[in-house]
């Protein structure tokens, strides 16, 4: 839903297919375009002209959709592999690129030309970068042997930050303030 600064509704829309659809994140780019990310098990009604136009067949795929400032759908894409994906965040940069972060159990269909192209353990975080037209530019897994969940942010120079929590005791920290796991069920992380 888009409201004016005085609280008047400008426009509102449903977005989903015939299954169960969740919307978890929203971000506005410098041009006023609206990006939403979530997860779905809908086999249709989600993708339109984006990177992945068919449901992967897993339990859930994440999705990313771009709307104009007037509420018109510009494109939508599934993003997932053969298992389970969940969305945790959307971010944009000054060039209009958009980033989707989530977690995955899929061993394929996720990473491309990124830091880590192989799932480690059973579940990892992922972050994927799309251009303004919904074309995937690069994607990476991030994680180790146990569970990781995170959110994404972009700084003015275009650097990508991933933050969240992990209960993996290795393979997360390197060269930062705290390079060893402190214990307990989870530690926070920033990369």
């Amino acid at each position: 839903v888009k409201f004016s600064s005085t609280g008047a509704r400008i426009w509102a829309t449903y977005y989903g297919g015939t299954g169960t659809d969740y919307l978890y994140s929203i971000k506005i780019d410098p041009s006023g375009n609206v990006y939403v990310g979530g997860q779905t098990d809908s086999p249709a009604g989600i993708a339109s002209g984006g990177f992945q136009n068919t449901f992967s067949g897993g339990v859930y795929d994440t999705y990313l959709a771009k709307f104009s400032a007037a509420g018109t759908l510009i494109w939508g894409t599934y993003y997932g592999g053969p298992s389970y994906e969940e969305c945790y965040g959307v971010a944009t940069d000054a060039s209009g690129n958009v980033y989707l972060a989530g977690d995955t159990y899929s061993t394929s269909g996720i990473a491309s030309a990124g830091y880590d192209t192989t799932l480690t353990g059973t579940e990892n975080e992922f972050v994927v970068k799309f251009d303004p037209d919904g074309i995937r530019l690069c994607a990476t897994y991030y994680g180790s042997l146990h569970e990781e969940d995170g959110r994404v942010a972009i700084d003015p120079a275009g650097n990508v930050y991933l933050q969240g929590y992990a209960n993996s005791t290795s393979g997360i920290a390197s060269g930062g303030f705290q390079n060893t796991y402190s214990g307990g069920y989870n530690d926070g992380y920033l990369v």
Side-chain angles (χ1 to χ4, degrees):
V1 180
K2 181 178 181 178
F3 296 95
S4 73
S5 61
T6 60
R9 184 177 69 179
I10 298 171
W11 56 260
T13 184
Y14 288 106
Y15 186 73
T18 57
T20 303
D21 310 296
Y22 300 97
L23 196 152
Y24 291 133
S25 187
I26 184 169
K27 188 68 178 181
I28 314 302
D29 75 11
S31 300
N33 297 302
V34 182
Y35 293 89
V36 294
Q39 76 182 65
T40 183
D41 66 1
S42 292
I46 298 295
S48 174
F51 166 74
Q52 183 179 333
N53 291 306
T54 57
F55 183 70
S56 71
V59 178
Y60 281 98
D61 277 355
T62 59
Y63 69 82
L64 180 66
K66 179 180 182 178
F67 293 86
S68 72
T72 303
L73 179 65
I74 297 171
W75 54 261
T77 184
Y78 292 103
Y79 197 74
S83 190
Y84 176 95
E85 283 75 41
E86 190 168 10
C87 172
Y88 286 114
V90 175
T92 60
D93 66 22
S95 300
N97 298 305
V98 60
Y99 303 76
L100 178 69
D103 65 359
T104 182
Y105 290 82
S106 294
T107 57
S108 62
I110 301 296
S112 172
Y115 164 76
D116 188 354
T117 57
T118 304
L119 181 77
T120 304
T122 58
E123 177 191 8
N124 284 165
E125 181 68 9
F126 72 85
V127 63
V128 55
K129 177 182 180 180
F130 297 92
D131 74 7
D133 296 320
I135 305 302
R136 181 177 72 178
L137 300 176
C138 60
T140 186
Y141 292 104
Y142 194 78
S144 192
L145 296 176
H146 300 291
E147 179 183 10
E148 295 82 32
D149 290 317
R151 312 302 187 264
V152 63
I154 313 302
D155 72 14
N159 296 302
V160 180
Y161 296 82
L162 198 61
Q163 62 85 27
Y165 67 85
N167 58 30
S168 294
T169 58
S170 63
I172 300 295
S174 174
F177 166 74
Q178 181 180 331
N179 294 308
T180 58
Y181 188 78
S182 287
Y185 188 71
N186 291 318
D187 273 5
Y189 73 86
L190 172 65
V191 59

